[in-house]
Amino acid sequence: MKPRTTLGVIAAVAAAVSLTLSGCSSSTAGGSTSNSVTHVAGAPSWCGTKKISFALLDGFGGNSWRLVTTASGKEEAKKCPSVTKFTYADGQGNTQKAISDIKSMVSTGVNAMVVFPDAGKAVLPALTSAYKAHVVTVPYRVDPGGKAGVNYDKWIGDDFAHDGVSWATWIKANVPGGGNILFMGGPAGNSQSVTEYNSLRKNLPDSYKFIDQEPFVPTNWDPTLTQQLLSAAIAKYPKIDVIVSDFGPTLVSSLPLFPKSGRAIPALATSDGNSLACFWKDSQAKSPFKMVTVATGNDNVRLAVDYAIAKATGGKLPTADIFQGSVFEDSVSGNPHPVDCQSSLPGDVYLSAQMPGEQQAALSK
């Protein structure tokens, strides 16, 4: 979920609808041959010996966060020489296209697919059809409903409740005694923001009051809409002590509204992004504020890829079945990292990701 700032370059990834992974042999229709693939030295335990074709599908791939995530998923699949073919499809925010993409992958004979089901339950019937067609089917991050073993092999979620606990712990330590919290989340009703809110509410005493819409102000993770909604909140609420956002970079163009209104920027509990880190650094001289970030979660896809490939190739299934991001930056304690602005890199780089920032930056060239 986490739609990000749109990048035209994503089309280059989407256009690569059928990419043969370097160093791997060709596959027959259906993604397997009669010959087993032997693990190369250093192959991970989740990489079994059965040859497969593998597909990665987005419901909406047209943004920088997805660009990095897609590249991370492809990079993870390359670790297994049994994956002889990699295919990518972008639903482009169109539910019917996303459903068609899933069906098309089945008809072309892929053996395993990892799906970001942006449309949620709307794509569940297509996922179920793929699963019943004996394609290893692993949705991730967005909960599509249904049950593992009935509608798909496994859902690999993100432990968003853990993010809520991390934020709540930091808020109690750095904004002690209570205060007004403005939670700016994604689209209305999305499971990520709802889960985070419930976790925050559970782990904060009643002295912390959530203001404006509950469970969160729906911004669609869109910077322009975020700016409009934050402007309205500043006008409405003379006291905002903490802003929580599950995608911090969308706030970069909005936070200057506080000093322009003669007010201090509130403490910020959010997710990381280079643009946000550099904004924090540039603000410290005249408009300092406290900030904590959690990993923005690009590597959720890696765990989903590991699981799907293990199931399809006969490898060892990962022991984890949910991705858990950790606190990444803390401007107060500096643990585990101080706020890290890499001014030589683009703003739409996520330094918490396993993929190095320089490699992420090269994706948009």
Side-chain angles (χ1 to χ4, degrees), residues 71 78 83 121 184 198 317 327:
K78 279 186 176 182
V83 179
K121 294 180 180 179
M184 309 195 79
N198 289 335
L317 293 175
V327 171

Side-chain angles (χ1 to χ4, degrees), residues 83-162:
V83 179
T84 61
K85 188 177 181 181
F86 175 93
T87 307
Y88 174 77
D90 176 9
Q92 301 174 357
N94 184 316
T95 299
Q96 292 306 311
K97 184 179 186 305
I99 291 171
S100 177
D101 287 341
I102 295 170
K103 293 179 177 179
S104 176
M105 293 298 176
V106 175
S107 67
T108 57
V110 299
N111 305 107
M113 65 171 70
V114 165
V115 183
F116 198 124
D118 290 80
K121 294 180 180 179
V123 299
L124 183 60
L127 294 172
T128 305
S129 294
Y131 173 72
K132 290 184 176 179
H134 306 293
V135 176
V136 174
T137 305
V138 179
Y140 80 105
R141 204 161 178 87
V142 174
D143 187 353
K147 295 176 63 176
V150 176
N151 305 100
Y152 41 79
D153 289 270
K154 190 74 173 179
W155 175 60
I156 303 294
D158 187 307
D159 192 353
F160 296 121
H162 181 71

Side-chain angles (χ1 to χ4, degrees), residues 14 23 26 32 88 91 101 138 142 162 176 186 217 250-251 287 307 319 329 339 341 346:
S26 300
S32 65
Y88 174 77
D101 287 341
V138 179
V142 174
H162 181 71
V217 179
T250 58
L251 289 168
S287 303
Y307 192 97
T319 54
E329 300 160 309
V339 178
C341 164

Side-chain angles (χ1 to χ4, degrees), residues 53-71:
S53 61
F54 174 77
L56 181 63
L57 296 89
D58 272 325
F60 172 74
N63 51 64
S64 63
W65 188 88
R66 297 298 178 91
L67 180 66
V68 173
T69 300
T70 297

Side-chain angles (χ1 to χ4, degrees), residues 79-250:
K79 295 176 182 178
C80 182
S82 300
V83 179
T84 61
K85 188 177 181 181
F86 175 93
T87 307
Y88 174 77
D90 176 9
Q92 301 174 357
N94 184 316
T95 299
Q96 292 306 311
K97 184 179 186 305
I99 291 171
S100 177
D101 287 341
I102 295 170
K103 293 179 177 179
S104 176
M105 293 298 176
V106 175
S107 67
T108 57
V110 299
N111 305 107
M113 65 171 70
V114 165
V115 183
F116 198 124
D118 290 80
K121 294 180 180 179
V123 299
L124 183 60
L127 294 172
T128 305
S129 294
Y131 173 72
K132 290 184 176 179
H134 306 293
V135 176
V136 174
T137 305
V138 179
Y140 80 105
R141 204 161 178 87
V142 174
D143 187 353
K147 295 176 63 176
V150 176
N151 305 100
Y152 41 79
D153 289 270
K154 190 74 173 179
W155 175 60
I156 303 294
D158 187 307
D159 192 353
F160 296 121
H162 181 71
D163 292 343
V165 172
S166 297
W167 290 332
T169 300
W170 185 87
I171 289 169
K172 286 185 288 187
N174 292 282
V175 189
N180 290 342
I181 299 176
L182 179 68
F183 184 7
M184 309 195 79
N190 82 86
S191 60
Q192 174 182 344
S193 300
V194 169
T195 300
E196 291 162 342
Y197 167 81
N198 289 335
S199 180
L200 280 163
R201 185 69 282 174
K202 180 180 178 181
N203 288 279
L204 288 171
D206 291 340
S207 56
Y208 295 92
K209 179 183 178 182
F210 286 83
I211 58 177
D212 215 304
Q213 297 184 55
E214 288 194 53
F216 57 88
V217 179
T219 70
N220 296 339
W221 295 303
D222 175 77
T224 301
L225 180 57
T226 298
Q227 189 174 67
Q228 295 170 357
L229 293 168
L230 184 56
S231 179
I234 290 172
K236 186 176 181 179
Y237 301 103
K239 186 172 183 285
I240 301 174
D241 300 292
V242 182
I243 294 177
V244 174
S245 168
D246 42 17
F247 186 56
T250 58

